Amino acid sequence: MAKKKMSLGVIGTAIVMASYGVWKSQENKIKSLIPARVGSFGDIIFQVNSRTVLTPKKLTHTASASYGSHSMLSGKPRLQYIGPSLEEVKLEIVLRADFGARPRTQLAALHKMLQDGTTAYLIIGGKPVCELPMVITDISETWDTILSRGELWQASVNLTLKEYR
């Protein structure tokens, strides 16, 4: 038995192509609203989309070890490995109202995490930066742009995070 080819004709093809174009434009609109997650730290989501840009920059990850020094009689001291030190991450975040970041809201959330001792994993690119959760040990903020009514338009925040064991 031979299969029949289905033909849409000119009008049917035009309808399918038009509806595909509408669907494609809707798909692109929806995709622009879905955030490209750069990462997160607790409730702070680092993302880029058509409405929001909130990304860390100048991220520095430090891992070190502790050593004890033992004095030697008539010789140089000797080191003894004690163990790994706590890992530390320093990063800067620029909060801009025109990029959808709401500086005061984000600063309040970061200060609450600091005051409450909230532990969270720092996730960048879908992977934790450190094996264990981290806490904020230091926040340094600079209010870069304040508008005439006292609205904070742009702030730079430097965070220090330490591994929590």
Side-chain angles (χ1 to χ4, degrees):
M1 183 185 276
K3 289 186 179 178
K4 290 186 177 181
K5 279 191 172 180
M6 185 177 203
S7 175
L8 295 173
V10 176
I11 295 173
T13 304
I15 291 170
V16 170
M17 289 176 69
S19 63
Y20 177 76
V22 169
W23 177 80
K24 205 62 175 158
S25 69
Q26 290 293 3
E27 180 187 37
N28 290 338
K29 187 182 282 185
I30 291 168
K31 280 184 180 178
S32 72
L33 297 176
I34 297 172
R37 281 187 96 174
V38 175
S40 64
F41 181 68
D43 293 336
I44 307 296
I45 307 296
F46 304 123
Q47 63 184 341
V48 178
N49 66 26
S50 62
R51 295 182 184 160
T52 306
V53 176
L54 179 61
T55 57
K57 65 181 195 175
K58 297 182 185 175
L59 189 144
T60 306
H61 181 201
T62 305
S64 59
S66 296
Y67 287 85
S69 180
H70 301 285
S71 299
M72 302 302 292
L73 189 59
S74 63
K76 289 184 177 182
R78 296 210 176 141
L79 293 179
Q80 179 181 5
Y81 177 75
I82 296 173
S85 296
L86 296 176
E87 292 183 34
E88 182 178 88
V89 173
K90 292 184 180 191
L91 59 107
E92 181 182 350
I93 304 170
V94 177
L95 305 170
R96 291 182 51 167
D98 57 335
F99 288 167
R102 297 188 175 188
R104 284 197 190 231
T105 304
Q106 295 290 345
L107 288 172
L110 290 169
H111 280 280
K112 183 166 178 23
M113 290 176 79
L114 172 74
Q115 297 302 321
D116 293 348
T118 303
T119 61
Y121 286 91
L122 175 61
I123 308 292
I124 302 292
K127 298 176 185 167
V129 172
C130 182
E131 255 181 56
L132 297 172
M134 304 187 93
V135 293
I136 299 173
T137 60
D138 187 57
I139 297 175
S140 173
E141 61 190 67
T142 303
W143 291 24
D144 300 314
T145 307
I146 303 170
L147 300 181
S148 61
R149 294 185 182 176
E151 181 184 355
L152 180 58
W153 189 254
Q154 179 176 326
S156 301
V157 185
N158 290 300
L159 297 177
T160 302
L161 311 174
K162 278 201 178 171
E163 178 180 31
Y164 186 79
R165 289 189 174 258

